[in-house]
Amino acid sequence: MKTCLVLEGGALRGIYTAGVLDELQKEKIKIDTIIGVSMGSLVGINYVSKQPGRALRYNLKYCQDKRYMSIRSFLKTGDLVNKEFAYYRIPNELDPFDYKTFDQSTIKFLCTVTNLDTGKAEYIEIKDSKKDIEYLRAGGSMPAVSKIVEIDGKKYLDGGMADSIPIQKAIEMGFERIIVVLTQPIEYRKKDSQNKALSRLYHKYPKFVKTIQSRNKRYNQTIEKIISLEKEKKIFVIRPSKKVPIKRVEHDPTKIKEQYDLGVQDFKNKKKELIKYLK
């Protein structure tokens, strides 16, 4: 049976996922497909390139660097997360990404993006990691603080808007063993907070606006479905065992490290259960 890994986003909360994946890599468990969302994709690629510790390393080093993610970058470029620095200079020069290992891997990697014209999620297979970097950038481009990313005439933003946790996609692909890594504790439910402001901002894309307006309800329904499938032992879930007060765009390295360490510890605590599930 083949195994799929589903990775939720959540901006810097996603460093929790990096902690989980770094420990998972030590176990040498065979993963056939990864479906990442937003930050889930951006840390997940390091699993495929076999670079444990990389996501934590560059986030700790550059979290206070205004060239990385800052209001200055947003005012100057229209992107809170600076395109040239985060997606090109870091992986190509400052903390090199192993493009060759990623591209030669047998693991199928899908990056979730939201199409503004259709309002629907698209799951883009990343085959050439250097060439396809713009899909990863699109998938992690948070609305309101990122420019729309246009690729081959299609306009994209954060994949989490249309499908925050692609569990249904994994089921439809026929996987019988599914590992889901979440970035919020079990009690978390999404509230209607920014929908009205975002709807006004993206009024030129009516289908995307509908997606925005239904996001909270769809997210909460997905969480309930995940809890149900988990109880039936049809999927295996690793989620934060406690709430870490970390911001979506966090500049405090101690909080980033705390979130990462929680991922490491939560994986260790559930490792035996995971191995039993996979068998």
Side-chain angles (χ1 to χ4, degrees):
M1 292 191 293
K2 292 188 175 182
T3 303
C4 181
L5 192 55
V6 176
L7 309 176
E8 183 182 11
L12 257 296
R13 286 199 316 272
I15 205 70
Y16 172 89
T17 302
V20 172
L21 296 185
D22 287 353
E23 289 300 308
L24 178 64
Q25 197 152 64
K26 294 178 183 178
E27 300 304 313
K28 297 182 179 180
I29 294 168
K30 188 177 185 301
I31 301 296
D32 298 282
T33 296
I34 296 176
I35 309 176
V37 180
S38 194
M39 186 65 165
S41 292
L42 298 175
V43 301
I45 57 173
N46 299 292
Y47 183 90
V48 182
S49 67
K50 298 181 180 179
Q51 292 177 281
R54 180 176 177 272
L56 174 67
R57 185 171 60 242
Y58 73 73
N59 275 291
L60 287 179
K61 187 172 182 178
Y62 299 111
C63 65
Q64 296 179 336
D65 193 318
K66 292 180 180 179
R67 296 172 298 171
Y68 183 33
M69 47 184 175
S70 65
I71 294 298
R72 187 178 79 171
S73 173
F74 177 67
L75 294 175
K76 191 174 180 179
T77 69
D79 285 309
L80 188 70
V81 179
N82 188 280
K83 170 186 172 180
E84 294 302 323
F85 189 79
Y87 291 96
Y88 291 93
R89 193 166 178 202
I90 288 178
N92 292 333
E93 301 173 28
L94 302 175
D95 198 324
F97 178 73
D98 192 338
Y99 294 103
K100 184 177 179 180
T101 297
F102 182 99
D103 294 346
Q104 292 179 347
S105 175
T106 58
I107 300 173
K108 185 175 183 178
F109 192 94
L110 302 180
C111 171
T112 308
V113 295
T114 300
N115 185 313
L116 269 68
D117 290 314
T118 66
K120 295 182 179 181
E122 294 181 14
Y123 310 91
I124 309 297
E125 183 175 359
I126 306 299
K127 295 180 179 180
D128 184 327
S129 51
K130 182 168 280 191
K131 179 182 176 183
D132 296 336
I133 190 69
E134 284 297 288
Y135 283 111
L136 291 165
R137 185 170 77 87
S141 292
M142 298 177 287
V145 294
S146 306
K147 291 192 294 187
I148 295 169
V149 179
E150 188 167 339
I151 306 172
D152 294 335
K154 294 183 178 181
K155 297 176 181 179
Y156 296 115
L157 279 175
D158 194 325
M161 300 306 294
D163 194 354
S164 296
I165 313 167
I167 182 67
Q168 186 57 38
K169 178 65 177 178
I171 293 171
E172 289 172 359
M173 291 177 70
F175 290 100
E176 295 180 359
R177 298 191 302 195
I178 302 172
I179 304 168
V180 183
V181 183
L182 304 179
T183 56
Q184 292 281 15
I186 193 168
E187 66 273 9
Y188 175 80
R189 298 295 182 274
K190 198 173 289 294
K191 297 178 180 178
D192 185 1
S193 55
Q194 297 180 320
N195 288 359
K196 291 181 180 179
L198 288 177
S199 295
R200 288 194 295 269
L201 184 61
Y202 295 102
H203 67 275
K204 292 181 180 179
Y205 306 95
K207 291 182 179 178
F208 182 56
V209 168
K210 288 184 179 180
T211 297
I212 292 170
Q213 293 173 341
S214 65
R215 187 189 181 203
N216 300 333
K217 182 179 179 180
R218 287 183 289 104
Y219 179 89
N220 295 338
Q221 288 174 339
T222 300
I223 290 296
E224 296 301 333
K225 181 174 184 176
I226 286 172
I227 291 172
S228 177
L229 291 170
E230 183 183 17
K231 288 179 180 178
E232 296 172 12
K233 300 190 184 302
K234 292 182 177 179
I235 65 173
F236 191 88
V237 182
I238 301 174
R239 59 169 66 82
S241 55
K242 65 178 182 179
K243 181 75 173 178
V244 172
I246 185 170
K247 298 174 183 176
R248 290 177 64 82
V249 179
E250 183 58 69
H251 299 292
D252 185 344
T254 59
K255 290 182 180 179
I256 292 173
K257 184 62 163 54
E258 183 182 0
Q259 182 81 340
Y260 174 88
D261 289 343
L262 181 63
V264 169
Q265 192 57 52
D266 284 348
F267 178 86
K268 288 180 177 179
N269 291 341
K270 300 200 74 172
K271 183 173 73 172
K272 289 183 179 178
E273 290 179 54
L274 173 60
I275 292 171
K276 184 178 178 181
Y277 165 78
L278 294 173
K279 288 182 178 179

